[in-house]
Amino acid sequence: MHRDPVNEKDPGRSLLFERSTMPLLKSWVESANTPDTDFPLNNLPYGAFKTEEDETHCGVAIGDMILDVTALEEAGILMPAAEEDEVFFFGDWTDFMAMGPDVWAAFRTALTALLSEENGDAPELVPFLVPQIGTQLVMPFAVSEYTDFYAGKHHAMNIGTILRGADNALPPNWLSIPTGYNGRASSVVVSGTDVRRPWGQLKGPNDELPRFAPCARLDLELEMGAIVGTCSEGMVNVQQADDMIFGYVLLNDWSARDIQGWEYQPLGPFQAKATATTLSPWIVTKAALEGFRTSTPERERELLPYLTEPGPMLYDIELEVTLAPEGKDATTIARTNYNEMYYSAAQQLCHHTTSGCPMNTGDLLGSGTISGPNKENRGSLMELSWGGKEPLTLDTGETRTFLEDGDTLTLKGAAQGDGFRIGFGYCEGKILPANEKPHA
Amino acid sequence: MHRDPVNEKDPGRSLLFERSTMPLLKSWVESANTPDTDFPLNNLPYGAFKTEEDETHCGVAIGDMILDVTALEEAGILMPAAEEDEVFFFGDWTDFMAMGPDVWAAFRTALTALLSEENGDAPELVPFLVPQIGTQLVMPFAVSEYTDFYAGKHHAMNIGTILRGADNALPPNWLSIPTGYNGRASSVVVSGTDVRRPWGQLKGPNDELPRFAPCARLDLELEMGAIVGTCSEGMVNVQQADDMIFGYVLLNDWSARDIQGWEYQPLGPFQAKATATTLSPWIVTKAALEGFRTSTPERERELLPYLTEPGPMLYDIELEVTLAPEGKDATTIARTNYNEMYYSAAQQLCHHTTSGCPMNTGDLLGSGTISGPNKENRGSLMELSWGGKEPLTLDTGETRTFLEDGDTLTLKGAAQGDGFRIGFGYCEGKILPANEKPHA
């Protein structure tokens, strides 16, 4: 094992003991007690949904239901702030996120008590439950700014080998810097939003000049997203960064590889990454994941002291990707784990503040593509098809190098506890054909 | 002349004739009629300021005064929207920007009439005037997202020659793509905000490993910023992009060259550009600049059709940079002109939407560093000192390769009319020493 879950400098921070002994917490919402639900009482992820009246409300997933916390706040039953503040009024968790760890903890405690089996049948709460099935989920927070990292070593090695050969695969700074670039917050969408194949400047290796055409090498990137809760002022250390993080989501950073190949030197990816980035709709809180913390792998080059983790800040979250061609069954094309990352979100967030860059409530950090050591662990088609040279065969018999119109991509993820799991739901998007003309 | 101010496809779009005949428009605010003011009635730029009661109000610069438009709206004298909407209530132009070109034009017409000499002495408006001197200006709009481009050819050639030699100076895609990268909106500040020298990972060419230390090669970048007024949905063409732009400001994209050198491969600049970007406080509207339009230079490589300008979309704006060491006089270190850009803001904004990337009210586009053909036209110290090898001598006798603590940098800019100028005021910032320790 290359991983050391017990941090030697501070063994008290390792939470694996707690993890192994934490049982399923039982709820009076029966569907939350089944072993196959993503949303037991141990989870309580935060989302937003459309009510029958077409209002947007904040909700918490419990089993196959949603607890309407906007309505609960209005009814005076569950209030994270003083009575006159309506934190959930607009159906968005951003204000709550800004309130900080003490409020987050108190609210979770109240929520857990409300939904616990020990609360009896709670008939007075039943009217606040909405079935998940048939309910439209929307973005649960306002993305302030979006940064995408490149912090998976297997991914960086694979991409580097494809582009530059095995000897120069890893950029010289990679083992020292959690490499990242600023993405485009306006392009972040919630699971279920269709993704239109983009146009862009394309230039093949043998073309003299670029042409403007629909992307022919559209890809997914399997990532986790960390959501910043509280703001920074000046540089923060890794522990402070971890304390600022509100929760995690699944993230698919759709990528136009042909646009990227022509545009990215010298200032990095731009339009190749600006069509869409899809998030899973439920924010799984740091509190729910506490028992699944794990350390980053051993360092191959000693980190500068500012990046040292005071305790385990990655998580053991199993991940998978499926691809379903239009009207056909899905094939699992990759399985990996968030614990494969070389840098944690806390390290990334700390590095993000080194320049004094202010980080704000609602900032979203993409982990970077999460691949593992083996072929079946690769989190992008660029890697799975080795730059388009080795087509992938789906269970339907079809092959893929990159995405085709009508393909539906689904990311799933869960931390596996003893008799329960902390699930993330789905992060899904379907590819629509490019517009016939680039603009109206 | 390499520039062709009359567009042959549509000569009606060239506005040079209008420019040469447009006179100074006279105001009853006497200081607006002097030839040395940045803010004649022809200009009317939009800003925000702190009132004596410490409220933030929207204001319009006129001569050496500010017209308080928040108070005018409240008094029912100048209302851009229906009576019940208080567009300027929060002292921010963002809502107004979102209202679109028809509202912008009607408001400017009303404002011009109000401040015109033909309006007599207008004693009823005098209470709405605040002297600029002693009044604190603040950010006039909320920066939604910030994109910085690399669209000045002299700058790209200079930087490329310093880094890669003259033969490989220009990246292969440069003549086809308005190259840009996403910057960090949270780091954008208004003129007058001090800039703290950042810490970062630094690695000299002969160092084996990086160290974490204060930046030693802090630089300025002389740029113009274009501010997006209305939103896009899907790709827009160059004309639509131009129509979306609300106005322009001066922009200094402070850059940590040593941090940048080590971090920027392969995903572009990140922390090197995240300490601060300073804007001049007055948004000069597109309407005020209309008479100063000029075309981009002749193409060295034919552009893909989507990037073709239907008319002149650059502006003839004279620019200069001064540097004042702590407590000493300023030296002008560069003079150039916005018309040196190879791509206009409209072309950049069009390209920004090719992927379908939604552009929003308050998005800020940095032009890229504006250098000219000669040494004295270079818009960064990286160029002026040729990568630090040729120190610059200031009028005080001191030399500079990069910025030193206590230096105050000031950008100025103006479009020169016949007997008046459309000025931008100042874009200024002072360098404070790095913190002794990187974080608390």
Side-chain angles (χ1 to χ4, degrees), chain B residues 291-305:
Chain B
F292 302 92
R293 283 182 183 260
T294 182
S295 298
T296 46
E298 265 182 60
R299 301 291 104 180
E300 293 170 42
R301 181 193 296 164
E302 197 179 354
L303 285 181
L304 284 162

Side-chain angles (χ1 to χ4, degrees), chain A residues 109-369:
Chain A
T109 301
L111 205 55
T112 304
L114 218 55
L115 287 167
S116 169
E117 186 181 55
E118 289 162 26
N119 202 18
D121 283 347
E124 73 283 6
L125 293 175
V126 171
F128 295 95
L129 289 176
V130 180
Q132 283 172 29
I133 200 160
T135 297
Q136 187 195 344
L137 299 174
V138 298
M139 273 294 291
F141 71 107
V143 180
S144 180
E145 298 193 61
Y146 166 44
T147 308
D148 195 30
F149 286 86
Y150 187 59
K153 182 149 179 257
H154 302 292
H155 173 70
M157 286 295 296
N158 287 337
I159 294 291
T161 303
I162 292 166
L163 297 181
R164 293 179 294 271
D167 291 343
N168 298 302
L170 217 53
N173 56 19
W174 201 91
L175 293 171
S176 299
I177 299 182
T179 301
Y181 66 98
N182 298 297
R184 182 78 196 175
S186 67
S187 68
V188 178
V189 297
V190 74
S191 178
T193 308
D194 292 333
V195 175
R196 176 76 63 188
R197 181 182 296 276
W199 285 65
Q201 286 202 20
L202 316 178
K203 183 180 165 297
N206 303 318
D207 299 340
E208 196 188 336
L209 289 171
R211 64 207 160 85
F212 193 61
C215 166
R217 290 163 72 97
L218 190 59
D219 200 355
L220 78 141
E221 287 193 337
L222 166 62
E223 303 191 24
M224 295 290 298
I227 298 166
V228 175
T230 53
C231 300
S232 69
E233 199 173 319
M235 183 180 165
V236 299
N237 64 32
V238 177
Q239 180 61 55
Q240 290 166 328
D242 193 60
D243 292 343
M244 288 167 61
I245 294 172
F246 179 69
Y248 290 84
V249 289
L250 304 170
L251 184 154
N252 182 352
D253 194 46
W254 305 93
S255 299
R257 301 293 182 197
D258 39 8
I259 297 173
Q260 189 172 354
W262 170 232
E263 81 174 356
Y264 91 109
Q265 284 291 4
L267 298 184
F270 183 50
Q271 290 304 286
K273 300 279 196 166
T275 300
T277 295
T278 304
L279 302 187
S280 55
W282 295 108
I283 305 173
V284 175
T285 63
K286 204 170 46 180
L289 293 167
E290 203 56 32
F292 302 92
R293 283 184 183 259
T294 182
S295 299
T296 47
E298 265 182 62
R299 300 293 102 179
E300 295 171 40
R301 180 193 297 165
E302 196 180 355
L303 285 181
L304 284 163
Y306 81 90
L307 280 172
T308 307
E309 284 182 320
M313 290 180 176
L314 263 189
Y315 298 92
D316 177 2
I317 299 170
E318 292 164 11
L319 300 165
E320 71 171 72
V321 185
T322 67
L323 189 163
E326 180 99 63
K328 299 204 176 143
D329 286 344
T331 300
T332 298
I333 60 171
R335 286 184 208 276
T336 180
N337 193 304
Y338 184 41
N339 67 19
E340 296 288 356
M341 301 311 291
Y342 193 78
Y343 295 102
S344 66
Q347 287 174 313
Q348 292 170 336
L349 179 53
C350 161
H351 180 71
H352 210 320
T353 67
T354 49
S355 64
C357 178
M359 301 301 293
N360 291 317
T361 303
D363 282 341
L364 172 67
L365 309 186
S367 60
T369 306

Side-chain angles (χ1 to χ4, degrees), chain B residues 229-366:
Chain B
T230 53
C231 300
S232 68
E233 199 172 320
M235 182 179 164
V236 300
N237 64 32
V238 178
Q239 181 62 55
Q240 291 166 328
D242 193 60
D243 293 343
M244 287 166 63
I245 294 172
F246 179 69
Y248 291 83
V249 289
L250 304 170
L251 184 153
N252 182 353
D253 194 46
W254 305 94
S255 298
R257 299 297 180 196
D258 39 8
I259 297 173
Q260 189 173 355
W262 169 233
E263 80 174 356
Y264 91 109
Q265 285 290 5
L267 298 184
F270 183 49
Q271 289 305 287
K273 302 279 196 168
T275 301
T277 295
T278 304
L279 302 187
S280 55
W282 295 107
I283 305 172
V284 175
T285 63
K286 203 169 48 183
L289 293 168
E290 203 56 31
F292 302 92
R293 283 182 183 260
T294 182
S295 298
T296 46
E298 265 182 60
R299 301 291 104 180
E300 293 170 42
R301 181 193 296 164
E302 197 179 354
L303 285 181
L304 284 162
Y306 81 90
L307 281 172
T308 306
E309 285 182 319
M313 290 180 174
L314 262 188
Y315 298 92
D316 178 0
I317 299 170
E318 293 164 9
L319 300 165
E320 70 172 71
V321 184
T322 67
L323 188 162
E326 180 100 61
K328 300 206 175 142
D329 286 345
T331 300
T332 299
I333 60 171
R335 286 181 207 278
T336 181
N337 193 304
Y338 183 43
N339 67 20
E340 295 289 355
M341 301 312 291
Y342 194 78
Y343 296 101
S344 65
Q347 287 173 314
Q348 293 169 336
L349 180 52
C350 160
H351 180 70
H352 211 319
T353 66
T354 49
S355 62
C357 178
M359 300 302 291
N360 290 318
T361 302
D363 283 341
L364 172 66
L365 308 186

Side-chain angles (χ1 to χ4, degrees), chain A residues 14-42:
Chain A
S14 173
L15 293 151
L16 291 200
F17 179 72
E18 184 181 329
R19 168 185 180 177
S20 60
T21 58
M22 185 194 288
L24 168 70
L25 302 177
K26 288 206 171 169
S27 171
W28 54 265
V29 180
E30 280 300 331
S31 59
N33 302 330
T34 58
D36 63 337
T37 182
D38 268 358
F39 309 123
L41 184 56
N42 309 55

